[in-house]
Amino acid sequence: MKKILSVIGICLVFVLLIDLLFGAYLLKFTPKKIDHTTIHNVYDHDLKKSFKGNLEWSPNETYLFCSNKNSFRTFCDKMDFESKEFDIAFIGDSFTEGVGVNYEDTFVGRIENKFDKLKIANLGVVSYSPSIYFTKLRYLLENGYKFKRVIIYFDISDIHDDNRKYRLIDNKISRKKSVILSNIQRTLKSTFPFLAYSSKVLKNDVFKKTDVINKCTYLDFCHEKSSWTFNNKFFGDKEISKSLEFMAMIYELLQKNDIKMSVGIYPWPAQILYDNSQSKIVKLMNNFCVNKCEFFFNNFTDFFNEITFTEKEKIISKYYIEGDVHFNSLGNEKIFKNFVRTFKN
């Protein structure tokens, strides 16, 4: 037994030594998923500037992604556009960024094409939430950006992210992960890059598939991120109030800068299955918008009107990317049409 342990120990030391000396070189030959985001030292992360590439979202399918010099997603023929003054700024998370579809098929891209006389900025980035909406908007305004209107598309996952993922400390967003743990992970990643890469692949491609069997998915009644609007087990008044406080801070920030504020909401597939048109999030955002919002873009009614004559599963299949919570082209078109009906310039 001691001999076996000694051999294992020697092999481990040998592997670590190889990784230490040649890990960075070995990584050059490994397949890498293109990342269009980058770290931001104030609001955690942002899009890379002037980025153009084909991104993979759903399996075996890619979509074209372009950002401009402001780090805003845009049409690829407008990548060189540079301005700090806009008529409308949209902000939200991955739904507003428009993951999985080309920009002309996203609801913001459609709005930009429809209202081509207006200068529109898409500030949305995957995994944003109200704490980041506030911090990013404040940062942009302090750095000379001007908006006449800001429209926030509040996502179902925002409550989760504000309570589980982010915290605002000293006017900056930080992850709720332990600082010591983060520093250890960063050190190990730089010292043993190939081992860090291999561990991440195992976690994402092997163990993640096993976890799905044992855990709730986004379509289940017990899924924490998506189920808080109809399952009282998740996120009480205290957690919900945290995101609403950030929304109130955004309102005060925008009012101070003479910027009109609007809010939009939309359902995830789980809301289609288990919720109704008078969902908790509808009531929360409707109440929040009283005397604050120029417009309230409530997309729940449009989706739930279809339930009267279409099966719920068919609605999900029609409007959402297969196996995903995000909207496909038709889903984005539905959000766009709701905007056009509601918006008055």
Side-chain angles (χ1 to χ4, degrees):
M1 186 66 182
K2 289 183 178 179
K3 288 184 178 181
I4 294 174
L5 292 175
S6 297
V7 171
I8 293 174
I10 292 171
C11 290
L12 180 60
V13 171
F14 179 74
V15 169
L16 292 176
L17 182 62
I18 294 296
D19 196 1
L20 178 64
L21 297 174
F22 306 106
Y25 177 76
L26 293 173
L27 277 181
K28 294 180 181 179
F29 303 96
T30 59
K32 294 180 178 63
K33 185 176 180 180
I34 299 174
D35 190 356
H36 62 301
T37 65
T38 185
I39 296 172
H40 195 280
N41 61 3
V42 175
Y43 48 86
D44 190 73
H45 65 286
D46 204 349
L47 301 181
K48 292 176 180 177
K49 290 184 178 181
S50 303
F51 174 91
K52 183 176 183 179
N54 289 304
L55 303 182
E56 180 181 330
W57 189 257
S58 54
N60 304 317
E61 290 188 21
T62 61
Y63 64 103
L64 185 59
F65 189 99
C66 292
S67 64
N68 59 25
K69 295 177 181 179
N70 293 318
S71 295
F72 305 159
R73 189 177 182 187
T74 188
F75 293 102
C76 291
D77 61 357
K78 295 183 178 180
M79 288 179 64
D80 292 331
F81 175 81
E82 191 173 15
S83 175
K84 286 192 171 185
E85 295 187 14
F86 297 89
D87 297 298
I88 305 176
F90 289 89
I91 193 164
D93 68 352
S94 49
F95 283 82
T96 303
E97 178 191 301
V99 298
V101 294
N102 293 330
Y103 196 58
E104 61 268 21
D105 294 323
T106 67
F107 71 87
V108 179
R110 292 172 191 267
I111 292 167
E112 192 169 343
N113 270 333
K114 171 74 174 178
F115 301 93
D116 56 356
K117 302 299 182 184
L118 299 177
K119 291 171 65 176
I120 292 176
N122 186 347
L123 312 182
V125 179
V126 61
S127 294
Y128 274 11
S129 66
S131 56
I132 296 185
Y133 305 158
F134 167 72
T135 310
K136 181 171 184 174
L137 285 167
R138 182 179 61 188
Y139 176 88
L140 292 176
L141 291 171
E142 288 176 350
N143 282 273
Y145 285 83
K146 296 179 180 180
F147 311 110
K148 294 179 182 178
R149 290 182 166 107
V150 167
I151 301 175
I152 303 166
Y153 273 85
F154 190 97
D155 188 64
I156 298 295
S157 66
D158 282 355
I159 302 296
H160 172 277
D161 290 351
D162 276 338
N163 284 278
R164 301 281 190 265
K165 188 181 289 187
Y166 305 119
R167 54 187 169 189
L168 181 61
I169 300 177
D170 296 330
N171 296 321
K172 294 182 180 180
I173 295 293
S174 63
R175 299 272 176 151
K176 284 202 168 182
K177 189 187 297 182
S178 165
V179 175
I180 296 175
L181 178 60
S182 296
N183 289 335
I184 291 173
Q185 288 178 331
R186 193 178 295 111
T187 301
L188 289 175
K189 185 176 180 179
S190 61
T191 308
F192 304 109
F194 192 76
L195 183 63
Y197 167 82
S198 302
S199 301
K200 188 174 182 179
V201 170
L202 282 172
K203 177 185 175 183
N204 292 339
D205 296 342
V206 179
F207 295 115
K208 192 174 182 180
K209 293 177 181 178
T210 305
D211 288 345
V212 171
I213 299 174
N214 303 315
K215 294 182 180 180
C216 291
T217 71
Y218 69 93
L219 288 175
D220 291 326
F221 191 86
C222 53
H223 191 257
E224 184 184 52
K225 265 192 182 183
S226 60
S227 300
W228 66 270
T229 68
F230 51 80
N231 185 343
N232 292 329
K233 178 181 177 182
F234 303 113
F235 301 121
D237 293 341
K238 182 179 179 180
E239 289 86 359
I240 293 171
S241 294
K242 187 172 185 178
S243 288
L244 292 178
E245 286 172 7
F246 283 119
M247 292 292 287
M249 290 165 66
I250 295 171
Y251 170 72
E252 291 173 4
L253 173 69
L254 298 182
Q255 189 178 45
K256 180 180 177 181
N257 287 274
D258 196 27
I259 301 170
K260 296 176 181 177
M261 176 180 180
S262 297
V263 172
I265 55 172
Y266 45 80
W268 277 26
Q271 277 62 51
I272 303 295
L273 290 174
Y274 307 113
D275 215 333
N276 57 69
S277 62
Q278 297 304 309
S279 169
K280 183 186 293 185
I281 192 172
V282 174
K283 296 174 182 176
L284 285 170
M285 289 298 107
N286 191 36
N287 290 337
F288 171 82
C289 273
V290 174
N291 298 323
K292 293 187 182 74
C293 299
E294 181 183 17
F295 302 109
F296 178 43
F297 301 100
N298 178 13
N299 288 275
F300 272 68
T301 302
D302 291 345
F303 281 91
F304 279 92
N305 281 345
E306 288 199 29
I307 291 178
T308 59
F309 57 85
T310 306
E311 294 178 7
K312 295 179 178 181
E313 289 76 11
K314 289 184 178 180
I315 293 174
I316 293 172
S317 178
K318 180 179 179 181
Y319 293 116
Y320 296 86
I321 296 173
E322 183 179 357
D324 199 280
V325 301
H326 297 90
F327 294 119
N328 57 23
S329 179
L330 280 177
N332 274 278
E333 183 181 26
K334 200 169 183 68
I335 306 300
F336 161 71
K337 288 181 176 179
N338 173 274
F339 179 91
V340 172
R341 287 197 310 270
T342 309
F343 180 73
K344 301 293 184 295
N345 189 18

